[in-house]
Amino acid sequence: SQTIHQWPATLVQPVGSPLSLECTVEGTSNPNLYWYRQAAGRGLQLLFYSVGIGQISSEVPQNLSASRPQDRQFILSSKKLLLSDSGFYLCAWRGAGLKYGYTFGSGTRLTVV
Amino acid sequence: SQKIEQNSEALNIQEGKTATLTCNYTNYSPAYLQWYRQDPGRGPVFLLLIRENEKEKRKERLKVTFDTTLKQSLFHITASQPADSATYLCALERGSTLGRLYFGRGTQLTVWP
């Protein structure tokens, strides 16, 4: 069966520090992968999506970047965190065929201090 | 700009009653509409998907309707139980940007005994 792993679960980082969040998927190949952020009191916001290795599309301009170095690995990064980067970051993948919903990871709670 | 509104931030109902949650959208022509459940500190879990040419979809105690004329989806939980207490998210997928989901802020449902 397919599973999605995301780590770390929580992270407290100072302003100006770098960030790297990792997401891996098991049990599937060539998945569509997504990074979402959920800020306090707001809905999930799509940040990046990828349909294959090295293929990244950005939804909104921001202080973050994403990379997909391997088929089942998706990384979210920042060179210098801002306070506004705090939030709940979720990785998701979608199975083959558009009739399926997303499978989300367990999320990373990032607090920038 | 696109807007997805869920009728209220919170809904409280008594166990055994039917919970009805509303999702309204503007400036969209969604190809698919999805509903997710999210528990505190966890990633959303996919519940149901309905296509634009479908009026209704059911799964056990859950029912979703989709009215593209009214630009509205209704999500029903019949015979509600305290275990149904969670935040429910509506998400739309446009035909022009298949694979990308846009979420509402969610409705927090509390079912009391």
Side-chain angles (χ1 to χ4, degrees):
Chain A
S1 63
Q2 302 91 354
T3 56
I4 181 167
H5 301 280
Q6 200 178 333
W7 67 91
T10 59
L11 196 57
V12 180
Q13 293 283 101
V15 169
S17 64
L19 173 74
S20 181
L21 302 180
E22 189 163 343
C23 170
T24 59
V25 181
E26 295 180 357
T28 186
S29 59
N30 197 30
N32 288 346
L33 296 173
Y34 306 85
W35 278 111
Y36 280 84
R37 176 173 61 201
Q38 191 171 35
R42 301 185 64 178
L44 276 80
Q45 180 186 32
L46 177 62
L47 302 176
F48 300 95
Y49 66 96
S50 171
V51 299
I53 296 173
Q55 300 180 63
I56 307 294
S57 295
S58 173
E59 266 303 285
V60 294
Q62 58 211 320
N63 186 41
L64 302 167
S65 62
S67 62
R68 187 165 175 179
Q70 301 181 43
D71 181 45
R72 287 170 284 181
Q73 184 184 31
F74 203 22
I75 298 172
L76 183 70
S77 305
S78 174
K79 292 182 179 178
K80 289 186 178 182
L81 285 169
L82 305 172
L83 287 174
S84 58
D85 292 324
S86 294
F88 190 42
Y89 288 83
L90 290 154
C91 179
W93 77 277
R94 190 173 202 174
L98 294 172
K99 64 179 179 179
Y100 300 105
Y102 283 22
T103 299
F104 282 87
S106 53
T108 296
R109 175 73 60 189
L110 172 67
T111 304
V112 183
V113 297
Chain B
S1 63
Q2 300 103 359
K3 223 174 177 185
I4 303 167
E5 293 185 345
Q6 296 192 240
N7 59 324
S8 60
E9 289 189 8
L11 180 65
N12 300 310
I13 64 168
Q14 188 177 21
E15 183 176 10
K17 303 291 185 183
T18 296
T20 298
L21 286 66
T22 304
C23 176
N24 294 294
Y25 59 92
T26 58
N27 298 335
Y28 263 105
S29 296
Y32 302 90
L33 189 147
Q34 303 184 24
W35 284 88
Y36 288 78
R37 169 184 173 140
Q38 187 175 23
D39 291 287
R42 309 287 295 272
V45 174
F46 170 69
L47 297 175
L48 282 169
L49 177 152
I50 188 166
R51 295 177 178 80
E52 61 178 335
N53 61 352
E54 296 178 318
K55 297 293 184 185
E56 183 179 297
K57 186 72 73 75
R58 291 175 184 262
K59 178 183 176 183
E60 298 173 352
R61 294 185 296 113
L62 308 180
K63 184 177 84 170
V64 171
T65 62
F66 194 9
D67 190 325
T68 55
T69 301
L70 293 178
K71 295 184 183 293
Q72 182 181 80
S73 174
L74 299 179
F75 177 78
H76 306 273
I77 305 176
T78 58
S80 59
Q81 305 165 2
D84 294 326
S85 299
T87 296
Y88 290 86
L89 306 173
C90 164
L92 278 75
E93 183 174 8
R94 298 165 60 188
S96 58
T97 54
L98 288 177
R100 279 172 267 174
L101 280 184
Y102 300 93
F103 285 83
R105 293 188 181 187
T107 296
Q108 185 174 353
L109 174 67
T110 301
V111 181
W112 45 277

